[in-house]
Amino acid sequence: KQEVTQIPAALSVPEGENLVLNCSFTDSAIYNLQWFRQDPGKGLTSLLLIQSSQREQTSGRLNASLDKSSGRSTLYIAASQPGDSATYLCAVANQAGTALIFGKGTTLSVSS
Amino acid sequence: EAGVAQSPRYKIIEKRQSVAFWCNPISGHATLYWYQQILGQGPKLLIQFQNNGVVDDSQLPKDRFSAERLKGVDSTLKIQPAKLEDSAVYLCASSPNTGFGGYTFGSGTRLTVV
């Protein structure tokens, strides 16, 4: 049974810092991995989608890497801003068209 | 393109009452998902539809939860009777049939059972 773990559960940093959020999964035979952002009381916003054949994806100040063999993904946020404060969720799909399996998330707080 | 629409945004009910949530996915998305997100947890799948057929409902508490997707478009999730532990955010998501695209989530319905 696939399990997704995110470390740390919470993180507080001053504005401008570069930071890394970690995600691990127990079954390396995934189809894709997706990082989401969730603001309080809101739904999920997709940030980056990495297919199993890819090693990384970049969007602006965000970079996500995937190491399938070790069952790990990292989300790198460069030059953090207070507006980045949110919960970041990692999720994997085991096969095409199947439901996502989520971690519990990392709650990020960026202070100005 | 329009996103995934959900209603209502908030609902407060007493235990043992019934409640229904509605979802309208992105046009053309064949796959629709209902997730339950309890405070402090990641979303957990309740049920997945492919067009109007059920693909996975293994984690749906079928003694109290039911869901349908009429004509392969809109979907309704119902809880009857509700329990205190059903307090959560109920998220609807849809994805293209190809499986290569990402998932798009609605804003969710926050249910409080008192």
Side-chain angles (χ1 to χ4, degrees), chain A residues 1 31-32 34 36 38 40-44 46 49 51 89 93 95-105, chain B residues 9-10 31 33 35 37 40-45 48 50 91 95 98-103 105-108 110:
Chain A
K1 177 185 174 186
Y31 183 72
N32 61 36
Q34 198 160 355
F36 293 88
Q38 187 172 33
K42 301 292 180 62
L44 279 65
S46 177
L49 168 67
Q51 301 294 347
L89 293 158
Q95 298 176 32
T98 59
L100 293 171
I101 301 169
F102 285 85
K104 293 184 178 181
Chain B
R9 287 298 313 276
Y10 307 93
T31 308
Y33 311 82
Y35 287 85
Q37 186 177 24
Q41 304 286 320
K44 182 189 79 172
L45 178 73
Q48 175 185 350
Q50 181 76 15
L91 295 163
S95 68
T98 60
F100 283 96
Y103 302 77
F105 281 79
S107 298
R110 181 176 296 277

Side-chain angles (χ1 to χ4, degrees), chain B:
Chain B
E1 108 186 313
V4 175
Q6 288 190 247
S7 67
R9 287 298 313 276
Y10 307 93
K11 191 76 176 177
I12 300 175
I13 63 172
E14 296 183 349
K15 60 183 179 182
R16 292 188 289 274
Q17 285 188 327
S18 64
V19 64
F21 313 127
W22 175 82
C23 172
N24 182 252
I26 290 177
S27 178
H29 279 194
T31 308
L32 184 148
Y33 311 82
W34 282 102
Y35 287 85
Q36 179 193 57
Q37 186 177 24
I38 294 172
L39 187 64
Q41 304 286 320
K44 182 189 79 172
L45 178 73
L46 291 175
I47 189 167
Q48 175 185 350
F49 292 95
Q50 181 76 15
N51 297 309
N52 60 351
V54 175
V55 174
D56 183 356
D57 64 357
S58 58
Q59 299 186 85
L60 186 73
K62 298 180 185 63
D63 58 333
R64 299 184 299 106
F65 286 65
S66 64
E68 60 182 5
R69 189 180 185 194
L70 300 176
K71 300 180 181 178
V73 182
D74 293 9
S75 177
T76 303
L77 176 69
K78 296 179 181 178
I79 307 175
Q80 182 180 13
K83 292 185 176 181
L84 296 177
E85 58 261 36
D86 297 332
S87 294
V89 175
Y90 291 84
L91 295 163
C92 179
S94 67
S95 68
N97 203 21
T98 60
F100 283 96
Y103 302 77
T104 303
F105 281 79
S107 298
T109 295
R110 181 176 296 277
L111 173 68
T112 302
V113 182
V114 299

Side-chain angles (χ1 to χ4, degrees), chain A residues 93-112:
Chain A
N94 287 336
Q95 298 176 32
T98 59
L100 293 171
I101 301 169
F102 285 85
K104 293 184 178 181
T106 294
T107 298
L108 173 65
S109 176
V110 182
S111 57
S112 56

Side-chain angles (χ1 to χ4, degrees), chain A residues 10-66:
Chain A
L11 182 62
S12 293
V13 300
E15 183 177 6
E17 272 204 10
N18 302 325
L19 55 99
V20 174
L21 307 182
N22 296 293
C23 171
S24 62
F25 43 95
T26 54
D27 186 345
S28 62
I30 64 170
Y31 183 72
N32 61 36
L33 182 145
Q34 198 160 355
W35 283 92
F36 293 88
R37 169 183 173 139
Q38 187 172 33
D39 292 287
K42 301 292 180 62
L44 279 65
T45 301
S46 177
L47 298 173
L48 291 165
L49 168 67
I50 311 177
Q51 301 294 347
S52 61
S53 58
Q54 297 175 321
R55 295 283 292 180
E56 65 177 344
Q57 283 286 337
T58 298
S59 176
R61 294 182 295 107
L62 304 179
N63 176 275
S65 67
L66 173 63

Side-chain angles (χ1 to χ4, degrees), chain A residues 61-99:
Chain A
R61 294 182 295 107
L62 304 179
N63 176 275
S65 67
L66 173 63
D67 184 344
K68 264 185 56 175
S69 61
S70 67
R72 294 183 180 183
S73 175
T74 60
L75 179 66
Y76 175 83
I77 303 177
S80 58
Q81 303 171 357
D84 295 331
S85 299
T87 296
Y88 290 81
L89 293 158
C90 170
V92 301
N94 287 336
Q95 298 176 32
T98 59

